Amino acid sequence: MADMHTGGYAEFATAAVRDLVRLPERASFLQGVVYLVNLRIAYLYYYTFGQVQPGDVLMVHAAAGGIGTLVTQIAKRRGSNVVIALASSDEKLAHCRAAGADYAINIRSADYVTEVLRITGGRGVDVSMNSVAGPTLQTDPAAIRPRGRWLINGYAGGRALLDPNAIMHKSLTLSVFSVYTVRRDEEFTKATAFLDEWLRTEPLESCTRTFPLEAAEEAHRWIEGRHSHGKIALVP
Ligand SMILES: NC(=O)c1ccc[n+]([C@@H]2O[C@H](COP(=O)([O-])OP(=O)(O)OC[C@H]3O[C@@H](n4cnc5c(N)ncnc54)[C@H](OP(=O)(O)O)[C@@H]3O)[C@@H](O)[C@H]2O)c1
């Protein structure tokens, strides 16, 4: 497998040797796609930047997405954590529950902060895993406990300003991270070892939907329309 920034939508492509990753023997190509980005980011979320402790209560934004699904699985199978999943449709909430989420909140029909505070008895979550940003950069601090951890890894909901006062007021630990910063670090070697162990002991989810390469445009519309859950792949 190759971790490519651009030029991957093709039958043949070139990649730098240092960006090649060996597909583990036990993994199919469609599992490899799940692994290459999603499982490694889930690992970074949970272990490297999240430093999640057993029993921590986690709030996962876009929890039905490729990364959210795997973070939920890791949290339930490795850390006995309570997972509060946020997603935008009832079908996605069902997907989150199947992945192990303890609570699933439809962000279109409920105010997620109110719901999270109700679930946590007013305390807030220990960790928020947020790949949505946008308006949630304003609302998230209210749903996180004082001295909790706030992890940001994407901005599917758009760019917006962070309010330092909200972060300071609760003494939150903020990590805004990218996989590209660490992809050649020791952490990635650890993530690979994690995958090997995961494949020995757990089923690694495969892609939930594939599109032929010629239908790339349709695949993008599907993702942009927020219809996707799990991981989507293009197959040449
Ligand atoms: N920094 C990095 O290293 C890095 C690397 C890879 C990916 N990422 C980011 O991580 C995020 C999650 O990746 P993924 O593979 O899990 O993505 P995904 O499966 O495509 O999930 C993205 C989800 O974001 C939610 N979303 C919220 N607001 C949205 C909006 N305004 N428009 C579209 N979607 C919106 C949607 O879920 P709901 O409909 O349920 O809200 C959507 O399904 C993405 O934002 C991606 O850019 C970051």
Side-chain angles (χ1 to χ4, degrees), residues 4 9 19 36 47 74-75 127 155 157 163 175 195 219:
M4 303 183 64
Y9 283 18
D19 291 333
L36 191 62
Y47 292 103
I74 293 172
V127 185
Y155 45 92
D163 176 5
S175 291
L195 170 77

Side-chain angles (χ1 to χ4, degrees), residues 16-216:
V17 169
R18 66 184 181 181
D19 291 333
L20 296 178
V21 179
R22 187 179 293 280
L23 181 70
E25 264 176 40
R26 283 178 295 268
S28 67
F29 277 104
L30 287 180
Q31 286 175 319
V33 170
V34 173
Y35 157 70
L36 191 62
V37 177
N38 299 64
L39 188 65
R40 293 199 290 185
I41 293 182
Y43 178 92
L44 296 176
Y45 249 134
Y46 191 84
Y47 292 103
T48 310
F49 294 99
Q51 302 278 315
V52 176
Q53 302 301 311
D56 275 353
V57 180
L58 316 182
M59 174 172 73
V60 183
H61 286 266
I67 297 168
T69 302
L70 289 165
V71 164
T72 301
Q73 289 181 347
I74 293 172
K76 293 311 296 178
R77 292 180 184 164
R78 299 296 162 98
S80 337
N81 302 111
V82 173
V83 174
I84 304 175
L86 310 185
S88 70
S89 73
D90 289 342
E91 190 195 355
K92 287 184 178 183
L93 298 186
H95 173 89
C96 297
R97 288 197 192 93
D102 301 272
Y103 301 92
I105 300 171
N106 188 329
I107 54 167
R108 288 206 164 119
S109 57
D111 174 52
Y112 80 87
V113 174
T114 306
E115 284 303 300
V116 164
L117 291 176
R118 186 184 60 74
I119 291 165
T120 58
R123 179 176 175 266
V125 297
D126 297 291
V127 185
S128 167
M129 299 179 169
N130 187 330
S131 59
V132 167
T136 69
L137 294 187
Q138 295 298 313
T139 48
D140 252 24
I144 307 171
R145 71 162 167 86
R147 303 186 71 172
R149 278 150 283 154
W150 193 13
L151 310 177
I152 298 172
N153 172 251
Y155 45 92
R159 297 179 185 199
L161 293 177
L162 282 167
D163 176 5
N165 186 52
I167 302 164
M168 183 181 70
H169 180 63
K170 288 187 123 174
S171 301
L172 302 179
T173 300
L174 176 67
S175 291
V176 187
F177 70 93
S178 169
V179 70
Y180 297 109
T181 319
V182 296
R183 68 184 177 149
R184 297 201 182 95
D185 290 3
E186 191 194 335
E187 279 308 317
F188 252 33
T189 314
K190 285 189 197 164
T192 306
F194 179 82
L195 170 77
D196 285 341
E197 195 211 326
W198 185 271
L199 283 172
R200 263 197 303 277
T201 56
E202 307 271 357
L204 175 63
E205 203 185 313
S206 200
C207 296
T208 44
R209 183 160 179 196
T210 59
F211 290 83
L213 182 58
E214 311 82 76

